């Protein structure tokens, strides 16, 4: 039986790992989560590389990676190291190796860690499809091990660590043919290299399982954690380096990184992180620090709590993304759950101001019109007291007059339902907040009101995690007396990710697993917009990646158009709803032969209207084609001033001049009819 990937699925408890020292920086064990980055200068340009590493270190980067694409580059790591020491910068260095075992052996003399990619350390990518017999596969493994063993021996001798850094896009043909382009293939690929390390009694190993697809990254890391636990049950395991590769730039790059990395940290998985942005690498550091800060708060909160370890059915399959099955309910004519896309609702905070102001409907209409290419599908407003019912009805009528004809639902505290309260006319659903102090009378009353009104009902459990099971049972008891069909559930508790998971598992255990779940999120009041976006991306993105959530309902502090914009970006980052052009762009490194950041900006400017089209912008022909995942079109640097264009995996224009490449890309997309 597969071991679990985390200590407790219902709270954040750090995975137990051994310490691997990268020079003077310990990774794993009780060490803090380390923040690292990678240079994008030419490794042969010693001064520029050192300047950039110095800036990275000053920004808080604790480990710096430098590409070593050739023996000359690997040898130049010595000069980089010397100049850094002369400047008093003692940050540990990592050599990044693809395809060049000889360069790895040299680099291991000058750096504290060597990163190898098991997909290309000893294999050339030919995209060949062939069947391997058992013997052929074993022979191939033997050949790869023979290439890798000398590096292991040298690293062991020099006290240098190794990162076995698997990338989803660059699995070897051998692994692809046997396991496919899958998390399993990524894990098997890494374990083949671990076997060699362990045969040599070498244990200074760190793993990464990067992918541009957040689902694949999360699943691969979880699967690896479970597989390692099987190998040495109950013992500290190898530390993990987390990252989402080719995440892109700006908000989308930050959101995608926060979803992938933050989801894993919620599970207690991760010892060092790198946020890969197509920007100056120095800008990666504050983003990484904020993801770490947010996760450390979770870890600290849960450190003092007893493990819950509740015996509940699995909330999802943690190793494959499958959206939780739910029945469709209707809010007016808006379908939620079933086969409908994950819906987006805006909760209007400070309901009194919306109800009382004469022109609030008009202002809201203007705000909603500002969100390009996406729409607010549902509105939610709180009814603070009986008297508010008529105000809400008037607000509904005003919305209709200005053309905002989307469902308006009403949220109430269950206490309010204890008396004789009438719902406002035009209410699409009733959202009832239920806490531990609520009387059963008001819960029963909510059932009856909804039953009489023939509208949908959502129960929102507002309680500590440990109080939620009892609350769910009380509500289900009331529903047994008053059968209802259009029902959804949500939860507001400290720790949104685990609460959503617990709710899904409890409903499943109580035979109510088919009811839709709404993920509620209140954007906090924070001066730091980036921190706010990161926290929201984790709270919403992690459950969505687990397959939980039929609607996201966002409110809190912020203009309506801002909240909706982030909500849709999170849905796209979690691969649940595509409403924009998707960009897969690498962070660039010493192999990059053009200004990737500027080129990406130009291409984005020209293509941002192409909803649903995936465009990859990759810095080099060595790794770019493999790493650009399932992009529809690829723009890949193939030499100084030269670019190769791809349609899917096929080359359509080779080595064209960089100046004309963006226009040729646009023409190509146009010709394809996309
Ligand atoms: S794809 Fe980009 S980051 Fe990766 S090796 Fe090539 S240039 Fe460097």
């Amino acid at each position: 039986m597969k071991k679990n990937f985390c200590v407790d699925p219902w709270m954040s408890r750090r995975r137990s790992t051994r310490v691997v020292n990268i020079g003077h920086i310990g990774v794993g064990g009780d060490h803090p989560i380390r923040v690292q980055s990678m240079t994008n200068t030419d490794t042969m340009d010693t001064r520029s590389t050192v300047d950039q590493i110095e800036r990275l270190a000053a920004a808080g980067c604790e480990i710096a990676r430098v590409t070593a694409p050739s023996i000359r580059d690997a040898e130049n790591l010595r000069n980089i190291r010397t100049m850094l020491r002369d400047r008093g910068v003692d940050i540990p260095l990592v050599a990044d190796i693809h395809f060049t075992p000889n360069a790895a052996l040299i680099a291991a003399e000058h750096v504290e860690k060597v990163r190898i990619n098991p997909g290309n350390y000893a294999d050339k990518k030919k995209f060949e499809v062939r069947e391997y017999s058992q013997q052929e596969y074993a022979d191939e493994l033997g050949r790869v091990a023979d290439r890798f063993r000398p590096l292991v021996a040298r690293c062991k001798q020099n006290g240098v660590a190794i990162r076995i850094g698997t990338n989803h896009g660059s699995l070897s043909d051998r692994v692809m043919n046997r396991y496919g382009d899958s998390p399993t293939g990524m894990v098997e690929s890494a374990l083949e290299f671990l076997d060699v390390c362990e045969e040599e009694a070498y244990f200074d190993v760190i793993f990464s399982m990067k992918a541009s697809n957040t689902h694949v990254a999360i699943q691969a890391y979880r699967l690896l954690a479970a597989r390692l636990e099987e190998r040495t049950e109950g013992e500290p395991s190898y530390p993990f380096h987390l990252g989402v590769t080719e995440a892109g730039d700006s908000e989308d790059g930050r959101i995608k990184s926060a979803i992938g990395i933050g989801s894993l940290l919620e599970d207690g998985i991760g010892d060092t992180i790198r946020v890969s942005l197509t920007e100056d690498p120095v800008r990666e550091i504050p983003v990484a620090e904020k993801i770490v800060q947010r996760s450390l708060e979770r870890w600290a909160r849960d450190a003092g709590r007893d493990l819950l370890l509740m015996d509940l059915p699995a909330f999802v399959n943690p190793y494959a993304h499958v959206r939780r099955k739910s029945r469709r309910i209707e809010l007016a004519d808006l379908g939620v759950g079933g086969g409908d896309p994950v819906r987006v609702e805006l909760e209007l905070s400070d309901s009194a101001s919306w109800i009382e102001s004469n022109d609030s409907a008009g202002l809201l209409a203007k705000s909603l019109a500002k969100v390009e290419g996406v729409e607010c599908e549902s509105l939610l407003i709180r009814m603070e007291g009986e008297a508010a019912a008529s105000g809400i009805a008037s607000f509904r009528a005003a919305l209709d007059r200005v053309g905002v004809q989307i469902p308006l639902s009403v949220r109430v505290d269950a206490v309010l339902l204890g008396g004789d309260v009438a719902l406002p006319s035009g209410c699409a659903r009733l959202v009832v907040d239920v806490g531990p102090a609520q009387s059963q009378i008001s819960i029963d009353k909510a059932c009856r009101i909804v039953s009489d009104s023939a509208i949908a009902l959502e129960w929102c459990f507002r309680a500590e995690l440990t109080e939620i099971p009892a609350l769910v049972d009380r509500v289900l008891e009331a529903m047994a007396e008053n059968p209802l069909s259009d029902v959804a559930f949500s939860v507001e508790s400290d720790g949104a990710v685990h609460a959503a998971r617990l709710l899904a598992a409890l409903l499943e255990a109580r035979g109510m697993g088919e009811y839709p779940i709404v993920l509620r999120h209140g954007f906090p009041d924070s001066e730091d917009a980036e921190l706010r976006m990161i926290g929201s991306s984790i709270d919403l993105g992690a459950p969505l990646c687990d397959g939980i959530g039929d609607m996201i309902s966002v409110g809190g502090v912020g203009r309506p158009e801002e909240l909706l914009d982030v909500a849709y970006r999170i849905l796209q980052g979690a691969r649940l709803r595509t409403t924009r052009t998707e960009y897969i762009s690498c962070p660039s490194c010493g192999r990059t032969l053009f200004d990737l950041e500027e080129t990406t900006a130009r291409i984005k400017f020209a293509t941002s209207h192409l909803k649903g089209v995936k465009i990859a912008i990759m810095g080099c022909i060595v790794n770019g084609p493999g790493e650009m995942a399932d992009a529809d079109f690829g723009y890949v640097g193939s030499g100084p001033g030269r670019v190769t264009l791809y349609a899917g995996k096929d080359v359509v224009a080779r080595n064209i001049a960089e100046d004309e490449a963006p226009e040729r890309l646009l023409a190509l997309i146009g010709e394809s009819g996309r």
Side-chain angles (χ1 to χ4, degrees):
M1 192 189 124
K2 199 180 284 159
K3 295 287 167 200
N4 212 342
F5 63 94
C6 64
V7 180
D8 186 339
W10 318 113
M11 65 165 60
S12 295
R13 186 61 57 94
R14 190 174 188 177
R15 177 175 165 264
S16 168
T17 61
R18 64 171 74 223
V19 175
V20 173
N21 289 311
I22 318 295
H24 65 280
I25 297 286
V27 175
D30 291 330
H31 286 288
I33 303 165
R34 303 298 189 180
V35 168
Q36 57 175 293
S37 183
M38 182 170 179
T39 57
N40 61 8
T41 50
D42 178 353
T43 306
M44 292 306 296
D45 183 345
T46 309
R47 188 166 302 280
S48 298
T49 304
V50 169
D51 286 348
Q52 194 172 68
I53 293 173
E54 195 173 12
R55 288 198 299 121
L56 281 167
C61 176
E62 297 172 282
I63 300 166
R65 185 157 44 114
V66 181
T67 189
S70 70
I71 288 176
R72 282 178 67 234
D73 292 284
E75 281 167 347
N76 200 48
L77 291 169
R78 178 207 303 268
N79 298 327
I80 291 169
R81 149 76 62 245
T82 305
M83 194 181 283
L84 281 168
R85 290 227 174 99
D86 290 346
R87 294 190 190 181
V89 181
D90 66 349
I91 187 170
L93 294 181
V94 184
D96 197 59
I97 302 291
H98 298 271
F99 298 105
T100 48
N102 294 344
L105 285 170
I106 294 166
E109 301 291 343
H110 308 306
V111 297
E112 284 78 16
K113 183 166 78 170
V114 177
R115 178 270 168 123
I116 59 108
N117 178 341
N120 61 30
Y121 188 76
D123 290 285
K124 294 266 179 287
K125 190 112 182 121
K126 297 183 190 136
F127 298 103
E128 268 182 5
V129 179
R130 57 169 285 205
E131 282 295 316
Y132 288 81
S133 67
Q134 290 293 59
Q135 188 55 49
E136 284 172 329
Y137 202 89
D139 291 347
E140 279 289 289
L141 274 185
R143 179 184 63 76
V144 170
D146 288 345
R147 295 298 303 272
F148 184 46
R149 216 176 294 279
L151 178 66
V152 175
R154 182 151 313 171
C155 288
K156 186 175 178 186
Q157 185 184 10
N158 292 355
V160 168
I162 291 179
R163 167 154 69 98
I164 300 176
T166 306
N167 276 15
H168 179 224
S170 55
L171 297 176
S172 67
D173 288 347
R174 173 173 45 79
V175 167
M176 287 279 279
N177 280 301
R178 177 155 292 195
Y179 300 102
D181 180 12
S182 64
T184 303
M186 294 169 70
V187 169
E188 294 300 332
S189 171
L191 292 179
E192 289 174 357
F193 279 69
L194 178 64
D195 288 341
V196 179
C197 294
E198 292 186 339
E199 280 162 24
E200 299 297 313
Y202 173 82
F203 305 103
D204 288 337
V205 174
I206 294 178
F207 285 97
S208 63
M209 296 274 124
K210 296 195 188 181
S212 165
N213 176 326
T214 42
H215 296 175
V216 172
I218 292 168
Q219 290 153 20
Y221 278 105
R222 285 176 171 174
L223 189 59
L224 180 66
R227 291 292 308 278
L228 290 172
E229 180 64 15
E230 281 171 0
R231 286 165 78 112
T232 52
E233 191 178 344
E235 289 178 26
S237 191
Y238 297 98
F240 285 179
H241 161 132
L242 305 186
V244 172
T245 190
E246 285 90 40
D249 63 355
S250 56
E251 289 106 321
D252 292 332
R254 285 159 175 78
I255 286 172
K256 214 168 169 185
S257 299
I259 293 173
I261 298 171
S263 297
L264 289 158
L265 289 171
E266 287 280 322
D267 284 330
I269 294 174
D271 304 283
T272 173
I273 72 169
R274 190 245 169 144
V275 171
S276 303
L277 298 177
T278 309
E279 296 178 19
D280 181 340
V282 173
R283 293 213 289 273
E284 296 175 354
I285 306 304
V287 182
E289 286 176 337
K290 284 165 195 166
I291 295 174
V292 168
Q293 176 192 332
R294 144 73 204 227
S295 301
L296 288 182
E297 284 164 10
R298 290 284 183 273
W299 290 8
R301 180 203 62 189
D302 286 352
R305 296 182 178 178
D306 291 335
L307 292 178
L308 293 177
L309 294 173
M310 280 186 252
D311 189 16
L312 288 169
F315 55 97
V316 283
N317 178 352
Y319 310 111
H321 176 83
V322 181
R323 189 171 159 195
R324 178 181 166 271
K325 282 203 173 62
S326 61
R327 65 160 80 165
R328 184 177 191 270
I329 65 167
E330 289 196 346
L331 317 184
D333 55 0
L334 180 77
V336 175
D340 281 306
V342 179
R343 300 299 188 184
V344 176
E345 177 175 80
L346 177 69
E347 177 165 8
L348 300 168
S349 53
D350 190 8
S351 54
S353 68
W354 290 101
I355 296 167
E356 287 161 16
S357 162
N358 286 337
D359 58 352
S360 59
L363 290 174
L364 182 61
K366 278 189 193 143
S367 272
L368 299 185
K370 286 184 194 158
V371 201
E372 279 178 33
V374 297
E375 54 182 308
C376 175
E377 296 175 302
S378 172
L379 290 168
L380 178 63
I381 194 161
R382 182 172 279 283
M383 191 164 95
E384 304 284 3
E386 278 177 58
S390 63
I392 291 175
S394 304
F395 180 56
R396 167 75 274 174
L399 287 173
D400 289 338
R401 282 198 297 278
V402 295
V404 179
Q405 285 164 334
I406 48 183
L408 177 68
S409 297
V410 171
R411 186 171 185 180
V412 295
D413 194 292
V415 171
L416 185 65
L417 301 173
D420 282 330
V421 63
L423 292 183
S425 58
C427 168
R429 90 180 182 287
L430 187 65
V431 177
V432 181
D433 288 344
V434 190
Q438 236 87 72
S439 72
Q440 198 64 25
I441 294 171
S442 49
I443 294 174
D444 288 338
K445 184 83 181 292
C447 288
R448 285 200 298 279
I449 291 175
V450 168
S451 178
D452 293 346
S453 320
I455 58 170
L457 170 66
E458 175 190 325
W459 298 105
C460 176
F461 302 110
R462 305 184 79 190
E464 294 280 319
L465 212 62
T466 48
E467 295 167 329
I468 292 171
L471 269 183
V472 169
D473 288 340
R474 287 178 57 202
V475 161
L476 297 188
E477 196 183 305
M479 283 174 60
E481 297 290 316
N482 307 276
L484 303 168
S485 54
D486 279 0
V487 177
F489 292 89
S490 60
V491 60
E492 281 185 348
S493 184
D494 187 17
V497 178
H498 294 98
R501 215 178 250 188
L502 180 62
L503 177 62
L506 285 167
L507 292 177
E508 185 68 31
R510 309 299 195 254
M512 308 286 279
E514 80 275 22
Y515 287 92
I517 288 181
V518 176
L519 301 176
R520 322 209 124 272
H521 183 72
F523 282 78
D525 187 8
S526 166
E527 302 238 310
D528 187 335
E530 196 169 70
L531 182 62
R532 220 162 88 99
M533 187 169 67
I534 284 167
S536 305
S537 301
I538 299 171
D539 282 345
L540 289 169
L544 288 169
C545 286
D546 276 343
I548 299 170
D550 299 287
M551 174 189 258
I552 60 178
S553 183
V554 294
V557 180
R559 293 202 298 273
E561 64 268 31
E562 289 170 352
L563 305 186
L564 290 167
D565 181 64
V566 175
Y568 275 99
R569 287 181 193 277
I570 291 172
L571 278 176
Q572 182 144 338
R575 300 178 72 82
L576 267 296
R577 231 177 134 172
T578 302
T579 44
R580 298 176 159 78
T581 318
E582 172 124 8
Y583 298 97
I584 300 163
S585 57
C586 80
S588 83
C589 71
R591 290 179 189 268
T592 314
L593 298 164
F594 58 91
D595 184 335
L596 197 79
E597 191 177 349
E598 192 259 319
T599 304
T600 302
R602 269 169 68 203
I603 292 174
K604 281 180 96 165
F605 182 74
T607 58
S608 59
H609 58 292
L610 300 172
K611 176 179 165 180
V613 178
K614 290 197 189 106
I615 301 174
I617 306 142
M618 309 298 284
C620 77
I621 199 80
V622 183
N623 278 334
E627 301 285 352
M628 60 196 192
D630 51 354
D632 300 312
F633 300 96
Y635 179 108
V636 181
S638 51
R642 298 276 138 188
V643 169
T644 293
L645 298 180
Y646 288 74
K649 298 251 179 262
D650 300 326
V651 173
V652 287
R654 199 183 296 277
N655 289 330
I656 58 175
E658 188 189 334
D659 289 351
E660 61 181 86
E663 283 65 39
R664 292 280 295 273
L665 175 69
L666 285 179
L668 179 64
I669 297 171
E671 285 158 21
S672 76
R674 297 296 297 271

